[in-house]
Amino acid sequence: MKKRKRWKMILAVSIGIIIIVFILVYMMLRPKLQAIGNFQVLEEDFYSMEYRGDYGLDRFLDGGGASSDLEAAQFVAEDMFYGIYDFDAAMEGFGCSTITAQSQEGNTLFGRNFDWGKCKTLILHTKPKSGYESIATANLGFLSFGMNLPQESIMTRILSIASIYAPLDGMNEKGLCVAILMIEDNEKVDQQTEKPDITSTTAVRLLLDRAADVEEALKLLSQYDMHASAGMALHFALADAAGNSVAVEYIDNQMIVTKADIVTNFYLAEGEKYGIGTEESHTRYEMLKSLKSKNKSLSMEQIRDALNNVSKHNFNSSFASTEWSTVFNQTKNEIVYYHRENFDKEYRFSLGG
Protein backbone atom coordinates (compact mmCIF):
# COMPACT_ATOMS: atom_id res chain seq x y z
CA MET A 1 0.00 0.00 0.00
CA LYS A 2 2.83 2.39 0.89
CA LYS A 3 4.54 1.57 -2.43
CA ARG A 4 1.35 2.43 -4.35
CA LYS A 5 1.01 5.76 -2.53
CA ARG A 6 4.64 6.57 -3.29
CA TRP A 7 4.10 5.96 -7.02
CA LYS A 8 0.93 8.08 -6.95
CA MET A 9 2.90 10.89 -5.35
CA ILE A 10 5.70 10.58 -7.94
CA LEU A 11 3.12 10.62 -10.74
CA ALA A 12 1.38 13.68 -9.28
CA VAL A 13 4.69 15.54 -8.91
CA SER A 14 5.70 14.60 -12.49
CA ILE A 15 2.40 15.84 -13.90
CA GLY A 16 2.78 19.04 -11.89
CA ILE A 17 6.26 19.63 -13.28
CA ILE A 18 5.03 19.04 -16.83
CA ILE A 19 2.20 21.53 -16.34
CA ILE A 20 4.58 24.13 -14.87
CA VAL A 21 7.02 23.67 -17.79
CA PHE A 22 4.17 23.97 -20.29
CA ILE A 23 2.95 27.18 -18.63
CA LEU A 24 6.48 28.65 -18.62
CA VAL A 25 7.00 27.79 -22.29
CA TYR A 26 3.62 29.25 -23.17
CA MET A 27 4.39 32.47 -21.28
CA MET A 28 7.73 32.78 -23.10
CA LEU A 29 6.10 32.30 -26.49
CA ARG A 30 2.99 34.31 -25.70
CA PRO A 31 4.25 37.53 -27.36
CA LYS A 32 4.94 35.55 -30.54
CA LEU A 33 1.49 33.98 -30.48
CA GLN A 34 -0.14 37.36 -29.89
CA ALA A 35 1.65 38.72 -32.97
CA ILE A 36 -0.03 36.06 -35.11
CA GLY A 37 -3.24 37.20 -36.71
CA ASN A 38 -5.74 35.80 -39.18
CA PHE A 39 -4.24 32.31 -39.38
CA GLN A 40 -6.23 30.34 -41.98
CA VAL A 41 -6.19 26.90 -43.51
CA LEU A 42 -7.09 27.72 -47.10
CA GLU A 43 -7.12 24.08 -48.15
CA GLU A 44 -5.08 20.96 -47.45
CA ASP A 45 -1.38 21.89 -47.05
CA PHE A 46 -2.10 25.53 -47.93
CA TYR A 47 -2.09 28.21 -45.19
CA SER A 48 -2.04 31.95 -44.77
CA MET A 49 -0.98 33.92 -41.70
CA GLU A 50 -0.36 37.51 -40.61
CA TYR A 51 2.48 38.50 -38.30
CA ARG A 52 2.61 41.97 -36.78
CA GLY A 53 5.65 42.95 -34.77
CA ASP A 54 9.37 42.45 -34.31
CA TYR A 55 11.07 39.32 -35.59
CA GLY A 56 14.67 40.38 -34.99
CA LEU A 57 15.94 41.29 -38.46
CA ASP A 58 18.15 44.05 -37.07
CA ARG A 59 19.58 41.64 -34.48
CA PHE A 60 20.18 39.07 -37.22
CA LEU A 61 22.08 41.54 -39.41
CA ASP A 62 23.97 43.17 -36.52
CA GLY A 63 25.06 39.72 -35.42
CA GLY A 64 26.78 39.09 -38.75
CA GLY A 65 23.94 37.39 -40.59
CA ALA A 66 24.44 33.72 -41.49
CA SER A 67 26.64 31.77 -43.89
CA SER A 68 24.47 28.64 -43.91
CA ASP A 69 20.94 27.41 -43.36
CA LEU A 70 22.07 25.93 -40.05
CA GLU A 71 23.31 29.29 -38.75
CA ALA A 72 20.09 31.00 -39.85
CA ALA A 73 18.04 28.25 -38.20
CA GLN A 74 20.05 28.60 -34.99
CA PHE A 75 19.33 32.33 -34.91
CA VAL A 76 15.61 31.73 -35.33
CA ALA A 77 15.62 29.02 -32.66
CA GLU A 78 17.51 31.16 -30.15
CA ASP A 79 16.13 34.63 -30.89
CA MET A 80 12.50 33.83 -31.59
CA PHE A 81 12.04 30.54 -29.73
CA TYR A 82 14.53 30.97 -26.89
CA GLY A 83 16.21 27.68 -27.79
CA ILE A 84 13.04 25.69 -27.11
CA TYR A 85 12.77 24.36 -30.68
CA ASP A 86 15.53 23.59 -33.18
CA PHE A 87 14.95 23.92 -36.91
CA ASP A 88 16.73 21.68 -39.36
CA ALA A 89 16.45 23.72 -42.54
CA ALA A 90 16.70 21.39 -45.52
CA MET A 91 16.32 22.86 -48.99
CA GLU A 92 16.94 20.81 -52.07
CA GLY A 93 16.75 21.53 -55.78
CA PHE A 94 13.62 23.05 -57.25
CA GLY A 95 12.56 24.55 -60.55
CA CYS A 96 10.55 27.69 -61.22
CA SER A 97 9.57 30.36 -63.75
CA THR A 98 9.02 34.12 -63.52
CA ILE A 99 7.76 36.69 -66.00
CA THR A 100 7.45 40.48 -65.83
CA ALA A 101 5.02 42.41 -68.04
CA GLN A 102 2.93 45.56 -68.39
CA SER A 103 -0.85 45.48 -68.62
CA GLN A 104 -2.87 47.53 -71.09
CA GLU A 105 -3.90 49.77 -68.18
CA GLY A 106 -0.25 50.48 -67.36
CA ASN A 107 0.03 48.17 -64.36
CA THR A 108 3.30 46.33 -63.78
CA LEU A 109 2.79 42.58 -63.31
CA PHE A 110 5.04 39.77 -62.09
CA GLY A 111 4.18 36.08 -62.41
CA ARG A 112 5.83 33.22 -60.54
CA ASN A 113 5.62 29.40 -60.54
CA PHE A 114 7.21 27.35 -57.76
CA ASP A 115 7.87 23.78 -58.92
CA TRP A 116 8.49 21.19 -56.23
CA GLY A 117 7.28 17.92 -54.70
CA LYS A 118 4.23 17.89 -52.45
CA CYS A 119 4.75 20.34 -49.59
CA LYS A 120 3.02 22.53 -47.05
CA THR A 121 2.80 26.10 -48.35
CA LEU A 122 2.43 29.21 -46.19
CA ILE A 123 1.46 32.65 -47.44
CA LEU A 124 2.95 34.99 -44.86
CA HIS A 125 1.78 38.59 -44.47
CA THR A 126 4.26 40.54 -42.31
CA LYS A 127 3.79 44.04 -40.91
CA PRO A 128 7.03 44.93 -39.11
CA LYS A 129 7.40 48.12 -37.09
CA SER A 130 10.61 49.03 -38.90
CA GLY A 131 10.30 47.78 -42.44
CA TYR A 132 7.95 47.47 -45.39
CA GLU A 133 4.79 45.43 -45.22
CA SER A 134 5.02 42.38 -47.46
CA ILE A 135 3.41 39.13 -48.51
CA ALA A 136 5.78 36.21 -49.07
CA THR A 137 5.57 32.46 -49.65
CA ALA A 138 7.40 29.67 -47.87
CA ASN A 139 7.70 25.92 -48.27
CA LEU A 140 7.33 24.72 -44.67
CA GLY A 141 9.05 21.46 -45.59
CA PHE A 142 12.31 23.41 -45.79
CA LEU A 143 11.99 23.90 -42.04
CA SER A 144 11.52 20.17 -41.37
CA PHE A 145 7.83 20.94 -41.02
CA GLY A 146 6.26 17.47 -41.21
CA MET A 147 3.42 16.77 -43.61
CA ASN A 148 1.49 15.08 -40.78
CA LEU A 149 1.45 18.07 -38.44
CA PRO A 150 -2.18 18.93 -37.48
CA GLN A 151 -3.53 21.60 -39.80
CA GLU A 152 -4.85 23.99 -37.15
CA SER A 153 -2.78 23.17 -34.08
CA ILE A 154 -1.07 25.78 -31.89
CA MET A 155 2.26 24.13 -32.78
CA THR A 156 1.52 24.66 -36.48
CA ARG A 157 1.10 28.37 -35.80
CA ILE A 158 4.19 28.62 -33.62
CA LEU A 159 6.44 26.84 -36.12
CA SER A 160 5.03 28.88 -39.00
CA ILE A 161 6.66 31.95 -37.44
CA ALA A 162 10.06 30.54 -38.46
CA SER A 163 9.05 30.89 -42.11
CA ILE A 164 9.61 34.65 -41.75
CA TYR A 165 13.29 33.85 -42.38
CA ALA A 166 12.65 31.30 -45.13
CA PRO A 167 10.63 33.02 -47.88
CA LEU A 168 11.16 31.94 -51.48
CA ASP A 169 9.31 34.78 -53.13
CA GLY A 170 7.13 37.77 -52.32
CA MET A 171 6.19 41.40 -52.85
CA ASN A 172 6.36 44.39 -50.53
CA GLU A 173 4.17 47.49 -50.26
CA LYS A 174 6.46 49.41 -52.63
CA GLY A 175 5.81 46.88 -55.39
CA LEU A 176 9.22 45.18 -55.27
CA CYS A 177 9.00 41.49 -56.17
CA VAL A 178 11.72 38.97 -55.28
CA ALA A 179 11.97 35.29 -56.20
CA ILE A 180 14.60 32.57 -55.83
CA LEU A 181 15.09 30.13 -58.71
CA MET A 182 17.43 27.15 -58.78
CA ILE A 183 20.07 26.52 -61.44
CA GLU A 184 21.24 22.97 -62.04
CA ASP A 185 25.00 23.39 -61.73
CA ASN A 186 27.74 21.67 -59.77
CA GLU A 187 29.11 24.98 -58.46
CA LYS A 188 27.16 26.22 -55.46
CA VAL A 189 26.76 29.87 -54.53
CA ASP A 190 29.19 30.45 -51.67
CA GLN A 191 30.77 33.90 -51.85
CA GLN A 192 33.94 34.54 -49.86
CA THR A 193 34.89 38.23 -50.07
CA GLU A 194 35.12 39.24 -46.39
CA LYS A 195 31.71 40.90 -46.38
CA PRO A 196 29.00 40.05 -43.83
CA ASP A 197 27.24 36.78 -44.64
CA ILE A 198 23.67 36.15 -45.70
CA THR A 199 21.78 33.13 -47.02
CA SER A 200 19.48 33.24 -50.01
CA THR A 201 16.21 32.97 -48.08
CA THR A 202 17.23 35.52 -45.44
CA ALA A 203 18.23 37.79 -48.33
CA VAL A 204 14.65 37.63 -49.62
CA ARG A 205 13.46 38.74 -46.18
CA LEU A 206 16.01 41.58 -46.16
CA LEU A 207 14.94 42.84 -49.58
CA LEU A 208 11.22 42.68 -48.86
CA ASP A 209 11.68 44.57 -45.60
CA ARG A 210 14.23 47.17 -46.72
CA ALA A 211 14.25 47.71 -50.52
CA ALA A 212 11.72 49.87 -52.38
CA ASP A 213 12.95 49.09 -55.89
CA VAL A 214 15.49 47.11 -57.90
CA GLU A 215 18.22 49.72 -57.43
CA GLU A 216 17.92 49.59 -53.64
CA ALA A 217 17.73 45.79 -53.72
CA LEU A 218 20.96 45.52 -55.70
CA LYS A 219 22.70 47.95 -53.36
CA LEU A 220 21.68 45.81 -50.37
CA LEU A 221 22.73 42.53 -52.00
CA SER A 222 26.13 43.98 -52.92
CA GLN A 223 26.88 44.51 -49.22
CA TYR A 224 26.82 40.78 -48.39
CA ASP A 225 28.51 37.52 -49.26
CA MET A 226 25.74 35.29 -50.58
CA HIS A 227 25.50 31.67 -49.45
CA ALA A 228 22.86 29.58 -51.18
CA SER A 229 20.50 27.53 -49.10
CA ALA A 230 21.35 23.80 -49.19
CA GLY A 231 24.56 24.60 -51.06
CA MET A 232 23.00 24.89 -54.49
CA ALA A 233 23.35 27.15 -57.49
CA LEU A 234 20.61 29.73 -57.84
CA HIS A 235 19.70 33.17 -59.02
CA PHE A 236 17.28 35.88 -57.97
CA ALA A 237 14.58 37.47 -60.11
CA LEU A 238 13.94 41.08 -59.03
CA ALA A 239 11.27 43.38 -60.42
CA ASP A 240 9.84 46.69 -59.25
CA ALA A 241 6.71 48.75 -59.81
CA ALA A 242 8.49 51.00 -62.34
CA GLY A 243 9.01 48.00 -64.65
CA ASN A 244 12.70 47.39 -63.92
CA SER A 245 13.54 43.69 -63.87
CA VAL A 246 16.84 41.83 -63.50
CA ALA A 247 18.37 38.47 -62.73
CA VAL A 248 21.09 38.41 -60.06
CA GLU A 249 23.64 35.60 -60.35
CA TYR A 250 26.85 34.68 -58.53
CA ILE A 251 29.75 33.51 -60.69
CA ASP A 252 33.42 33.28 -59.68
CA ASN A 253 32.73 35.04 -56.39
CA GLN A 254 31.11 37.98 -58.20
CA MET A 255 27.54 39.23 -58.16
CA ILE A 256 26.44 39.71 -61.78
CA VAL A 257 23.29 41.60 -62.76
CA THR A 258 21.53 40.97 -66.08
CA LYS A 259 18.42 42.74 -67.35
CA ALA A 260 15.76 40.09 -67.67
CA ASP A 261 11.97 40.06 -67.81
CA ILE A 262 11.85 36.24 -67.92
CA VAL A 263 13.82 33.96 -65.61
CA THR A 264 13.70 30.17 -65.36
CA ASN A 265 16.49 27.79 -64.33
CA PHE A 266 19.58 28.53 -66.41
CA TYR A 267 22.28 31.20 -66.25
CA LEU A 268 21.47 34.44 -68.06
CA ALA A 269 24.77 36.26 -67.53
CA GLU A 270 26.96 36.49 -70.60
CA GLY A 271 30.07 34.30 -70.53
CA GLU A 272 31.00 30.66 -70.18
CA LYS A 273 28.14 29.95 -67.77
CA TYR A 274 25.42 31.26 -70.04
CA GLY A 275 22.72 28.67 -70.74
CA ILE A 276 23.83 26.12 -68.15
CA GLY A 277 20.69 24.63 -66.63
CA THR A 278 17.94 22.14 -67.38
CA GLU A 279 16.63 21.53 -70.87
CA GLU A 280 13.09 21.98 -69.62
CA SER A 281 13.94 25.41 -68.23
CA HIS A 282 15.02 26.52 -71.71
CA THR A 283 11.71 25.27 -73.10
CA ARG A 284 9.73 27.20 -70.49
CA TYR A 285 11.82 30.31 -71.16
CA GLU A 286 11.15 30.16 -74.91
CA MET A 287 7.42 29.66 -74.32
CA LEU A 288 7.24 32.76 -72.13
CA LYS A 289 9.48 34.73 -74.50
CA SER A 290 7.21 33.84 -77.43
CA LEU A 291 4.16 35.02 -75.49
CA LYS A 292 5.75 38.40 -74.77
CA SER A 293 6.95 38.85 -78.33
CA LYS A 294 3.38 38.45 -79.58
CA ASN A 295 1.80 40.76 -77.02
CA LYS A 296 2.69 44.38 -76.23
CA SER A 297 0.81 44.04 -72.96
CA LEU A 298 -0.49 41.21 -70.79
CA SER A 299 -3.37 41.09 -68.34
CA MET A 300 -3.28 39.31 -64.98
CA GLU A 301 -5.42 36.59 -66.56
CA GLN A 302 -2.93 36.18 -69.41
CA ILE A 303 -0.08 35.91 -66.90
CA ARG A 304 -2.10 33.26 -65.07
CA ASP A 305 -2.62 31.33 -68.30
CA ALA A 306 1.08 31.61 -69.13
CA LEU A 307 1.98 30.14 -65.73
CA ASN A 308 -0.49 27.35 -66.38
CA ASN A 309 1.15 26.62 -69.74
CA VAL A 310 4.63 26.28 -68.19
CA SER A 311 3.53 24.44 -65.03
CA LYS A 312 4.84 20.95 -64.35
CA HIS A 313 1.83 18.92 -65.54
CA ASN A 314 2.77 19.93 -69.10
CA PHE A 315 6.13 18.18 -68.81
CA ASN A 316 5.07 14.75 -67.50
CA SER A 317 7.02 15.21 -64.30
CA SER A 318 6.91 12.22 -61.96
CA PHE A 319 8.58 14.15 -59.12
CA ALA A 320 7.37 17.72 -59.04
CA SER A 321 4.19 19.68 -59.40
CA THR A 322 3.78 23.41 -59.49
CA GLU A 323 2.97 23.83 -55.81
CA TRP A 324 1.99 27.47 -56.10
CA SER A 325 1.57 30.07 -58.80
CA THR A 326 1.32 33.76 -58.10
CA VAL A 327 0.38 36.84 -60.10
CA PHE A 328 1.51 40.09 -58.48
CA ASN A 329 0.07 43.44 -59.52
CA GLN A 330 2.95 45.66 -58.44
CA THR A 331 1.10 48.87 -59.23
CA LYS A 332 -2.04 48.10 -57.23
CA ASN A 333 -0.38 45.91 -54.56
CA GLU A 334 -2.73 43.04 -55.37
CA ILE A 335 -1.71 39.38 -55.31
CA VAL A 336 -3.49 36.29 -56.62
CA TYR A 337 -2.41 32.78 -55.61
CA TYR A 338 -3.20 29.41 -57.21
CA HIS A 339 -2.43 26.13 -55.42
CA ARG A 340 -1.15 22.94 -57.06
CA GLU A 341 -2.06 23.87 -60.62
CA ASN A 342 -5.73 24.49 -59.89
CA PHE A 343 -6.01 27.68 -61.94
CA ASP A 344 -9.79 27.76 -61.56
CA LYS A 345 -9.56 28.59 -57.85
CA GLU A 346 -7.85 31.79 -56.77
CA TYR A 347 -6.90 33.34 -53.44
CA ARG A 348 -6.64 37.12 -53.38
CA PHE A 349 -4.53 39.23 -51.05
CA SER A 350 -3.54 42.90 -50.90
CA LEU A 351 -1.00 45.14 -49.21
CA GLY A 352 -1.66 48.40 -47.48
CA GLY A 353 -5.22 47.56 -46.54
Side-chain angles (χ1 to χ4, degrees), residues 180-196:
I180 299 174
L181 301 92
M182 183 202 74
I183 301 174
E184 190 171 294
D185 187 15
N186 292 328
E187 294 185 29
K188 65 181 182 180
V189 175
D190 188 28
Q191 273 191 304
Q192 303 289 340
T193 66
E194 306 302 323
K195 297 177 184 177

Side-chain angles (χ1 to χ4, degrees), residues 147-353:
M147 290 300 293
N148 297 320
L149 199 63
Q151 296 270 27
E152 298 186 70
S153 69
I154 292 177
M155 186 56 69
T156 300
R157 300 183 185 211
I158 291 174
L159 298 185
S160 293
I161 298 172
S163 65
I164 292 172
Y165 281 88
L168 296 167
D169 56 47
M171 181 176 78
N172 67 21
E173 64 181 275
K174 296 298 184 180
L176 177 72
C177 285
V178 184
I180 299 174
L181 301 92
M182 183 202 74
I183 301 174
E184 190 171 294
D185 187 15
N186 292 328
E187 294 185 29
K188 65 181 182 180
V189 175
D190 188 28
Q191 273 191 304
Q192 303 289 340
T193 66
E194 306 302 323
K195 297 177 184 177
D197 297 307
I198 199 166
T199 65
S200 50
T201 54
T202 52
V204 174
R205 171 52 54 202
L206 171 66
L207 299 184
L208 291 177
D209 279 28
R210 303 290 171 81
D213 53 33
V214 167
E215 182 180 357
E216 289 186 9
L218 294 177
K219 185 176 179 180
L220 278 173
L221 288 178
S222 68
Q223 296 172 19
Y224 293 89
D225 274 349
M226 182 63 62
H227 304 278
S229 296
M232 60 185 177
L234 56 77
H235 49 191
F236 293 92
L238 306 178
D240 62 29
N244 303 304
S245 56
V246 301
V248 180
E249 298 171 343
Y250 296 85
I251 301 172
D252 295 331
N253 238 17
Q254 299 296 316
M255 185 181 96
I256 300 175
V257 180
T258 304
K259 288 186 177 181
D261 55 7
I262 297 168
V263 183
T264 56
N265 307 110
F266 63 88
Y267 286 101
L268 293 170
E270 294 182 0
E272 61 180 19
K273 287 281 190 179
Y274 177 81
I276 292 177
T278 63
E279 181 179 347
E280 180 195 296
S281 69
H282 282 268
T283 301
R284 286 185 273 113
Y285 181 90
E286 292 300 326
M287 291 172 67
L288 295 174
K289 183 179 178 180
S290 175
L291 174 69
K292 288 207 67 176
S293 67
K294 295 175 182 177
N295 297 274
K296 293 183 179 179
S297 61
L298 294 172
S299 66
M300 291 185 73
E301 291 74 22
Q302 287 175 305
I303 295 287
R304 174 202 62 197
D305 293 342
L307 295 177
N308 186 6
N309 290 336
V310 297
S311 62
K312 294 299 285 187
H313 77 271
N314 298 289
F315 298 94
N316 299 316
S317 173
S318 59
F319 163 69
S321 70
T322 298
E323 283 295 283
W324 69 79
S325 301
T326 319
V327 182
F328 301 89
N329 187 321
Q330 298 164 268
T331 305
K332 294 186 174 182
N333 279 346
E334 297 173 349
I335 306 166
V336 183
Y337 277 91
Y338 304 91
H339 187 226
R340 289 184 180 158
E341 305 185 42
N342 181 0
F343 290 91
D344 294 323
K345 186 174 184 179
E346 62 182 35
Y347 298 91
R348 288 186 171 269
F349 299 84
S350 62
L351 293 165

Side-chain angles (χ1 to χ4, degrees), residues 16-48:
I17 292 172
I18 291 171
I19 292 173
I20 291 171
V21 170
F22 178 82
I23 292 173
L24 289 174
V25 170
Y26 176 78
M27 292 303 293
M28 291 173 67
L29 295 178
R30 187 179 179 184
K32 309 297 182 185
L33 290 170
Q34 289 178 329
I36 297 174
N38 200 27
F39 183 92
Q40 296 185 60
V41 180
L42 302 175
E43 58 183 79
E44 184 180 4
D45 299 331
F46 197 39
Y47 311 85
S48 67

Side-chain angles (χ1 to χ4, degrees), residues 48-84:
S48 67
M49 184 179 82
E50 291 184 4
Y51 192 88
R52 299 170 180 261
D54 176 49
Y55 39 79
L57 183 60
D58 285 328
R59 293 189 294 277
F60 174 76
L61 298 173
D62 292 343
S67 61
S68 68
D69 290 339
L70 179 59
E71 287 185 9
Q74 287 174 338
F75 169 82
V76 173
E78 293 171 6
D79 188 86
M80 299 190 70
F81 293 90
Y82 312 104
I84 294 169

